[in-house]
Amino acid sequence: MSVEVRKIKYINFLFLILLLWSCSLTRGLKQNELLLYDVQTEGIEKSDADAIRSLIQQKPNTRIPVLNLSPGVMVYHLGTAFYDSSKLSSRLEQTQVEARELSQLINEGNSSRKVEKRYRKLESSISNLERKLDYGNWFMRTGNAKVILDSAKVASSRQQINVYLQNNGFFDAKVKTQIDTTGKKAEVSYLIEENAGYRIDSIFTKSDDPSIYQLLEKHQRFSLLREGEKYAQTNLTKERQRVEDLMKDNGYYTFSKSFIEYNVFKDTLDKKVVIEQLIRKPGQGENHRLYTIDSIIFTIASPNDIIPDEKIHSEWDNVQFIMYQDRYAEKIIRSRIFQKKGDVYSKNAVIETQRQLANLDVFRFVNISFDTLDNRIRTKIFTRPNQKFQITNQLGASVTEQLPGPFFSHSLRNRNLFRGLEIFEFNFRAGLEGVASATTEGGVYRSRELSTSASIIYPQFLVPFNFGTLEKFGRYNPRTRTLLGYSYVNRPEYVRDALNTILAYTWATRNLKHQFSVNLLDANLIRSNLDSLFRSRLEELQAQGNNLINSFLPSYVSSISGQVIINFNQYGLYRRNQASLWRLFVESGGTTFNFVDPERLADRNLNYFQFLKFQSDFRRYIPLTNNSTFAYRLNLGLAKPYGISGGVLPYEKYFFAGGSTSIRAWQPRRLGPGSFTPETREDGTFDYRFEQPGEILFEAMFEFRRKLFGYFDGAFFIDAGNTWTFAVDPSREGTDFKVNRFYKELAIGTGLGLRMDFDFLVLRLDMGIKAYDPARPEKERFILDNISFKQPFGEKGQQVFNIGIGYPF
């Protein structure tokens, strides 16, 4: 029997060798074809190496180290095995013939609903077949074809690199190429001789118009051309755009880049350039005109032909309104128009007006046009209302505790509710989520959740007194939200429902770099029904001095909070540029009880809380190359109960560590606090049934991301962090924060991730492995050495798989 097993092993091994050999990159090449095996660039010292490499039109296939194999090519070849272009062309032709016949029936009025449905299906099939003919099937689009050396593309790449160097001040640069071949493999080297880079010696401006000359001089400090800096053609392009924007923002409505000319004079001895900026006139003996606003007309046309356009005329603060019906507040609209009669024309004011009117979410579009007479401008703003009611239904799945949970959501939006451009929103959501039971051993259970809310969003700050908020804050998209909501959660341990009301103010700076929100009121009335086993567990903790049971009793939680989000360089829309985001959050709970005797207000059938909470969440994204990036996140949180809270926070206000967007080597909400050691099961592993709330949180997450092939990206990450409590917890030894030991209690996990990035959706699988576990005795906490050839993922429970949607940060 052992001999037979050995033979099977040998056969499988030989089959694997043959399979890998058949997938060799050089196998199957034609006689005159060479595989592009490697590309090198030499001599780059002062230039942007990544920018130069991006100009190379042919890159070698991504290969597995040592082996002459490429996963992308293997996937592509798998697709070619099922790809027949002639059959696809035949199917496309037949489908198009049938579609034309059905289209003719529809146009003649001889169709039925079945025919129209069939026609739409055929149109979709034609689109899919055309895409397959142009780009191949799914496997071919996901993988990569073999890169065969193309000498024409090599020559074109050399030329583009040379142009790039010239445009970046290396006027004396030379670029050569060298091709080395070994068998069927070719290595291309781009040999670059940069020589000296030219710098800007001086810049001067010539203009016959003294007004323009003075304007440019006044804003010279914002110029993108500076003496002593390296010459770059791109800076000339950016400076030309800056000057045009400056002119248009200061009344020169008809000015354009075509009136700006740059002359560059080279000094080949000193390797310097002198730049002349010339502002040309629109015509012989003419100066550029300065335009002022003569009048403003705002038109709201009927949304469709059914509703008659009554053309109701009105005026508010020198703005003429023409509306199809008298149902829009002129003063609100006027607060979002940043032009006034007699003002000098400003391009920025026009852009700001269009943006803020669009932010109201009341108009389908906003078109701004101008009529000119001499040097006067008539501004015409034309809009149509958005649909009055908007209904959205969504069916999807969320992932918690490694299990997908289906959910259904419904939302209704009613625009211009009280004819003051208010928006009414109604939301409903019901779903199932996977949760680990805190009362029974093992297993994941379904948590049923339901929530509904109704809110009204006002496009202004609602305050009890008027101090010109509309006029002062219109540029900052001010909003007031009033909300009433209800939520219901049914878990194995408890059934919990809550009534919630919110009064919140939000606004943002004009460049959207800073976003602010203030919750002036956030009140919650909470009721809980505890499972008998869970209640017994909480009572056991209470007997040991831990009053966590108070977080689950009927309670009233109110707070005031504020948040600012600082977004550097549009974090979240990143691809090539560095970007950062910093979120600061402050909350004060039960603040009223600081000024009024709690006994006078409190209903003793309810629990009340006083607490302070602070959180700082900083994220940064740094591109390293075109295909790789480095990202990190630093998250700090503090939550301190005081006063009538009895040393306990509302459960939702605690911090938790572990999970797919936290320390990924631990299960969700199961890490810590501090060096607390969970109970041990019979097999020696920790019992992670119970969530572990903490009052202090620190997380540091570092991730290296690299594009693999097609839609697939890979990641390597290291996470570190934990939670702690301010005071000693008698039921959980080692949870309190101490300066002399907290750094020894930072849990560390590492791992690998695989992502499928479809632009509109990112599917993520991360495998985290515990490297340093603070729950163990101090000298036994480093456990990464448990990994071996026999145990590639370490001991039982050391690895955790996380399934998620979107990036972790």
Side-chain angles (χ1 to χ4, degrees):
M1 185 67 180
S2 60
V3 175
E4 292 295 326
V5 171
R6 193 177 303 170
K7 285 182 179 179
I8 293 172
K9 286 184 177 180
Y10 287 146
I11 293 171
N12 288 339
F13 179 74
L14 290 173
F15 177 77
L16 178 62
I17 294 295
L18 289 171
L19 177 64
L20 294 178
W21 177 75
S22 66
C23 295
S24 172
L25 286 173
T26 54
R27 178 171 171 75
L29 294 178
K30 296 178 181 178
Q31 184 175 357
N32 297 325
E33 288 183 339
L34 292 173
L35 177 77
L36 182 62
Y37 196 75
D38 197 9
V39 172
Q40 297 290 337
T41 54
E42 299 179 12
I44 303 175
E45 297 178 357
K46 305 168 189 175
S47 305
D48 186 337
D50 287 336
I52 289 177
R53 292 189 185 106
S54 68
L55 298 173
I56 299 174
Q57 297 176 21
Q58 285 193 302
K59 308 283 194 337
N61 297 110
T62 302
R63 302 187 303 275
I64 298 175
V66 181
L67 300 176
N68 185 26
L69 298 173
S70 170
V73 172
M74 294 171 69
V75 172
Y76 182 86
H77 277 190
L78 180 63
T80 59
F82 305 97
Y83 185 77
D84 189 331
S85 59
S86 59
K87 286 185 179 181
L88 286 173
S89 298
S90 178
R91 281 179 56 194
L92 177 60
E93 186 177 347
Q94 294 173 7
T95 307
Q96 288 173 335
V97 169
E98 185 181 355
R100 283 194 295 269
E101 292 174 352
L102 294 182
S103 177
Q104 186 175 353
L105 287 175
I106 294 171
N107 291 333
E108 292 173 353
N110 299 323
S111 68
S112 63
R113 182 177 296 180
K114 185 177 181 181
V115 171
E116 292 176 357
K117 183 178 179 181
R118 174 62 179 169
Y119 178 70
R120 289 194 296 270
K121 186 176 180 180
L122 289 174
E123 281 189 319
S124 177
S125 297
I126 290 171
S127 177
N128 289 332
L129 289 169
E130 288 176 343
R131 185 171 71 252
K132 286 183 179 180
L133 278 171
D134 291 338
Y135 306 107
N137 56 31
W138 185 87
F139 290 99
M140 296 169 70
R141 296 194 300 270
T142 303
N144 308 107
K146 292 179 183 179
V147 180
I148 308 302
L149 179 67
D150 187 333
S151 57
K153 290 183 178 180
V154 172
S156 178
S157 299
R158 181 180 68 243
Q159 183 181 3
Q160 289 188 30
I161 292 172
N162 191 63
V163 170
Y164 174 85
L165 292 169
Q166 296 283 329
N167 289 340
N168 284 273
F170 296 95
F171 296 111
D172 303 326
K174 297 178 182 179
V175 182
K176 298 179 181 179
T177 56
Q178 178 179 312
I179 301 177
D180 297 320
T181 60
T182 304
K184 287 285 187 177
K185 301 176 185 177
E187 296 185 6
V188 180
S189 298
Y190 291 87
L191 310 176
I192 299 169
E193 188 179 338
E194 293 176 327
N195 294 318
Y198 283 63
R199 293 185 176 272
I200 299 174
D201 179 69
S202 59
I203 312 110
F204 64 94
T205 301
K206 288 179 64 177
S207 174
D208 294 337
D209 189 331
S211 298
I212 292 179
Y213 190 82
Q214 290 172 11
L215 179 63
L216 295 177
E217 283 292 310
K218 182 180 177 181
H219 293 83
Q220 181 60 33
R221 65 183 183 278
F222 301 111
S223 174
L224 301 173
L225 302 175
R226 301 183 183 278
E227 295 178 3
E229 290 189 352
K230 292 181 180 178
Y231 171 84
Q233 183 73 30
T234 54
N235 287 340
L236 287 184
T237 304
K238 293 176 182 177
E239 177 66 7
R240 178 181 277 111
Q241 184 63 56
R242 186 193 72 85
V243 172
E244 182 192 26
D245 292 342
L246 175 65
M247 298 289 288
K248 284 183 174 291
D249 201 38
N250 286 271
Y252 294 95
Y253 169 67
T254 57
F255 191 87
S256 68
K257 290 192 288 285
S258 62
F259 294 112
I260 308 171
E261 182 180 314
Y262 289 103
N263 296 313
V264 179
F265 305 98
K266 291 188 292 183
D267 183 343
T268 56
L269 292 178
D270 294 335
K271 308 301 180 185
K272 293 181 180 180
V273 296
V274 175
I275 300 176
E276 176 191 56
Q277 180 177 254
L278 179 63
I279 309 298
R280 293 193 287 105
K281 291 185 174 184
Q284 186 68 29
E286 293 184 42
N287 285 333
H288 291 279
R289 285 186 174 184
L290 195 67
Y291 288 80
T292 56
I293 304 300
D294 178 69
S295 59
I296 303 170
I297 302 175
F298 190 97
T299 302
I300 305 177
S302 174
N304 52 54
D305 296 334
I306 299 174
I307 301 176
D309 193 342
E310 300 177 14
K311 295 188 181 298
I312 298 172
H313 291 255
S314 63
E315 185 171 334
W316 184 277
D317 191 18
N318 290 323
V319 175
Q320 301 173 44
F321 289 89
I322 305 174
M323 298 183 288
Y324 76 102
Q325 286 181 352
D326 186 15
R327 56 183 303 154
Y328 294 91
E330 294 94 333
K331 64 178 182 179
I332 301 291
I333 296 174
R334 181 66 183 95
S335 70
R336 305 300 171 94
I337 300 175
F338 307 110
Q339 289 183 330
K340 290 184 178 180
K341 185 176 181 178
D343 282 356
V344 170
Y345 168 82
S346 169
K347 179 184 176 181
N348 279 341
V350 175
I351 295 173
E352 194 83 13
T353 296
Q354 196 161 28
R355 179 190 299 132
Q356 294 302 341
L357 287 172
N359 283 339
L360 293 172
D361 193 29
V362 172
F363 303 113
R364 194 186 312 169
F365 58 83
V366 179
N367 288 340
I368 302 179
S369 60
F370 305 94
D371 290 338
T372 60
L373 179 61
D374 293 330
N375 64 336
R376 300 192 305 274
I377 287 180
R378 171 180 291 176
T379 302
K380 297 190 298 184
I381 306 174
F382 183 83
T383 69
R384 289 189 189 274
N386 217 331
Q387 59 190 69
K388 174 69 173 174
F389 296 97
Q390 180 179 340
I391 297 175
T392 304
N393 295 310
Q394 185 178 13
L395 184 65
S398 58
V399 181
T400 55
E401 294 286 356
Q402 325 311 321
L403 284 181
F407 70 83
F408 168 76
S409 66
H410 167 83
S411 66
L412 167 68
R413 173 168 286 205
N414 181 353
R415 296 180 172 90
N416 200 28
L417 179 65
F418 301 129
R419 300 191 175 187
L421 285 77
E422 307 87 355
I423 294 176
F424 170 78
E425 287 185 347
F426 172 78
N427 293 290
F428 171 83
R429 187 182 190 277
L432 300 175
E433 290 187 355
V435 296
S437 171
T439 55
T440 58
E441 183 74 29
V444 177
Y445 297 81
R446 292 291 186 185
S447 166
R448 296 188 293 274
E449 296 188 2
L450 180 149
S451 64
T452 184
S453 66
S455 61
I456 301 176
I457 304 169
Y458 300 86
Q460 57 179 309
F461 290 142
L462 289 184
V463 290
F465 45 86
N466 184 12
F467 54 91
T469 55
L470 272 178
E471 295 77 12
K472 291 181 179 179
F473 299 107
R475 293 179 181 272
Y476 305 103
N477 192 26
R479 291 175 178 266
T480 303
R481 176 189 287 269
T482 58
L483 178 144
L484 182 65
Y486 170 80
S487 62
Y488 169 86
V489 178
N490 187 336
R491 288 179 49 135
E493 306 87 7
Y494 57 81
V495 176
R496 187 178 178 92
D497 56 357
L499 191 65
N500 170 238
T501 183
I502 292 176
L503 173 62
Y505 300 99
T506 62
W507 68 99
T509 54
R510 293 160 63 181
N511 59 5
L512 300 180
K513 185 176 179 179
H514 301 84
Q515 301 174 48
F516 303 89
S517 63
V518 173
N519 283 7
L520 198 61
L521 172 67
D522 186 353
N524 299 267
L525 187 62
I526 303 170
R527 182 178 60 182
S528 299
N529 184 11
L530 305 183
D531 174 77
S532 58
L533 292 176
F534 186 57
R535 180 181 287 276
S536 299
R537 171 66 180 173
L538 293 175
E539 289 173 349
E540 289 176 11
L541 294 176
Q542 189 177 35
Q544 300 173 35
N546 184 330
N547 292 320
L548 184 62
I549 190 173
N550 293 345
S551 294
F552 291 93
L553 298 178
S555 57
Y556 173 75
V557 181
S558 65
S559 69
I560 299 172
S561 63
Q563 176 178 275
V564 56
I565 297 176
I566 307 173
N567 194 335
F568 303 93
N569 205 12
Q570 294 184 309
Y571 184 92
L573 298 177
Y574 48 75
R575 277 299 176 263
R576 292 183 176 275
N577 300 322
Q578 293 189 20
S580 305
L581 183 139
W582 191 13
R583 173 181 169 270
L584 295 170
F585 175 81
V586 179
E587 184 176 18
S588 173
T591 312
T592 308
F593 296 130
N594 292 320
F595 309 101
V596 181
D597 183 6
E599 296 298 329
R600 296 178 59 185
L601 295 180
D603 177 357
R604 301 323 298 175
N605 293 321
L606 295 175
N607 271 347
Y608 296 87
F609 298 90
Q610 285 179 285
F611 61 90
L612 295 173
K613 187 174 183 179
F614 167 80
Q615 189 170 5
S616 171
D617 184 354
F618 181 78
R619 307 174 183 198
R620 187 166 179 79
Y621 173 92
I622 305 172
L624 301 177
T625 66
N626 290 333
N627 294 319
S628 62
T629 57
F630 175 71
Y632 66 89
R633 177 190 184 195
L634 301 175
N635 189 19
L636 171 68
L638 306 170
K640 176 69 174 174
Y642 71 96
I644 61 174
S645 292
V648 178
L649 290 167
Y651 197 68
E652 291 79 7
K653 303 300 179 181
Y654 280 104
F655 293 108
F656 297 87
S660 65
T661 59
S662 180
I663 313 300
R664 283 164 280 187
W666 273 261
Q667 292 173 315
R669 302 162 75 95
R670 300 307 196 272
L671 172 58
S675 57
F676 168 68
T677 303
E679 296 180 4
T680 305
R681 297 190 179 95
E682 293 181 359
D683 60 1
T685 61
F686 288 137
D687 182 359
Y688 284 116
R689 281 179 298 163
F690 307 111
E691 294 181 352
Q692 300 297 339
E695 299 168 340
I696 302 172
L697 169 72
F698 174 74
E699 293 175 327
M701 305 170 67
F702 307 90
E703 188 167 283
F704 173 77
R705 303 166 184 168
R706 181 173 177 82
K707 188 172 185 61
L708 298 178
F709 59 91
Y711 301 114
F712 292 94
D713 297 343
F716 169 75
F717 60 85
I718 298 176
D719 303 332
N722 206 336
T723 62
W724 294 267
T725 59
F726 281 101
V728 174
D729 184 344
S731 66
R732 298 184 296 177
E733 184 180 353
T735 65
D736 56 319
F737 181 88
K738 293 293 183 182
V739 176
N740 61 351
R741 75 163 195 264
F742 84 93
Y743 59 91
K744 300 177 183 178
E745 298 170 343
L746 289 173
I748 301 175
T750 186
L752 300 173
L754 181 67
R755 290 89 193 268
M756 290 188 69
D757 189 347
F758 299 105
D759 290 334
F760 64 92
L761 176 68
V762 176
L763 301 178
R764 173 166 54 91
L765 173 64
D766 289 332
M767 181 192 69
I769 296 179
K770 298 177 180 66
Y772 185 86
D773 187 357
R776 299 170 185 263
E778 190 169 336
K779 294 184 179 179
E780 301 175 14
R781 292 176 178 172
F782 183 78
I783 58 175
L784 192 61
D785 53 3
N786 289 337
I787 295 176
S788 63
F789 185 76
K790 292 184 178 180
Q791 293 181 315
F793 302 130
E795 61 185 23
K796 182 179 180 181
Q798 190 172 346
Q799 77 285 347
V800 173
F801 289 92
N802 293 279
I803 301 173
I805 297 175
Y807 288 99
F809 56 90

